[in-house]
Amino acid sequence: MTASFDTLFAIASSARDNAYAPYSNFPVGVALVDEAGNIHAGANVENAAYPQGWCAETSAISSLITSGRRKITQVLVVADRIPGGRFCTPCGGCRQKLSEFAAADVVVWSCDPAGEVLERTVGQLLPEAFELIEQS
Ligand code: THU
């Protein structure tokens, strides 16, 4: 089951509204779809001890796994543009985390708050990913 862009964008945007990002002032929201078509939202959660914070993707993956799912079939990220006017794509660590549960052809939509979008696949974002279990 595939979720529409508009549905995922609305859910990720509302997660972003709840992000806890008082240090960076860079709130991020994510919506993931699992193998049953359920949607999992996540936001970044920062901490006064900076390295203890984590990304929105990590929050959303945690929700998906906690609900008993093991596959990511769609990803949508909402954040402000980053320097150079570029879209906020998942950070390097989150690319690795996503690739644990997402096949290389899974689409990642990176959106700005206005809904402009850059489309990439997990395989494009993390070519030659390190894995010890083959993705089915
Ligand atoms: N961040 C995310 O949540 N996801 C990304 O894809 C990029 C970065 C967060 C981490 C930190 O809370 C803030 O954005 C600034 O780096």
Side-chain angles (χ1 to χ4, degrees):
M1 207 183 335
T2 306
S4 73
F5 176 88
D6 288 354
T7 297
L8 294 179
F9 182 75
I11 289 170
S13 296
S14 119
R16 178 172 175 266
D17 290 342
N18 294 330
Y20 180 72
Y23 304 104
S24 70
N25 288 311
F26 192 82
V28 183
V30 167
L32 301 177
V33 182
D34 69 26
E35 68 270 38
N38 302 123
I39 299 171
H40 304 269
N44 50 337
V45 183
E46 297 185 346
N47 192 279
Y50 294 174
Q52 298 301 325
W54 65 86
C55 288
E57 292 85 341
T58 303
S59 295
I61 291 169
S62 175
S63 164
L64 183 147
I65 293 300
T66 301
S67 78
R69 299 300 171 183
R70 290 293 183 268
K71 278 198 172 303
I72 297 168
T73 58
Q74 290 174 266
V75 181
L76 186 144
V77 180
V78 186
D80 281 336
R81 301 284 188 109
I82 61 174
R86 295 167 50 223
F87 288 91
C88 173
T89 53
C91 79
C94 286
R95 294 177 193 205
Q96 181 68 31
K97 290 185 177 85
L98 290 167
S99 83
E100 183 74 23
F101 305 107
D105 63 355
V106 165
V107 168
V108 178
W109 283 319
S110 293
C111 307
D112 69 13
E116 296 294 310
V117 59
L118 173 77
E119 180 175 309
R120 294 286 183 265
T121 65
V122 167
Q124 286 173 320
L125 293 173
L126 189 65
E128 300 181 44
F130 174 70
E131 55 185 25
L132 295 175
I133 300 173
E134 199 165 344
Q135 272 291 340
S136 52

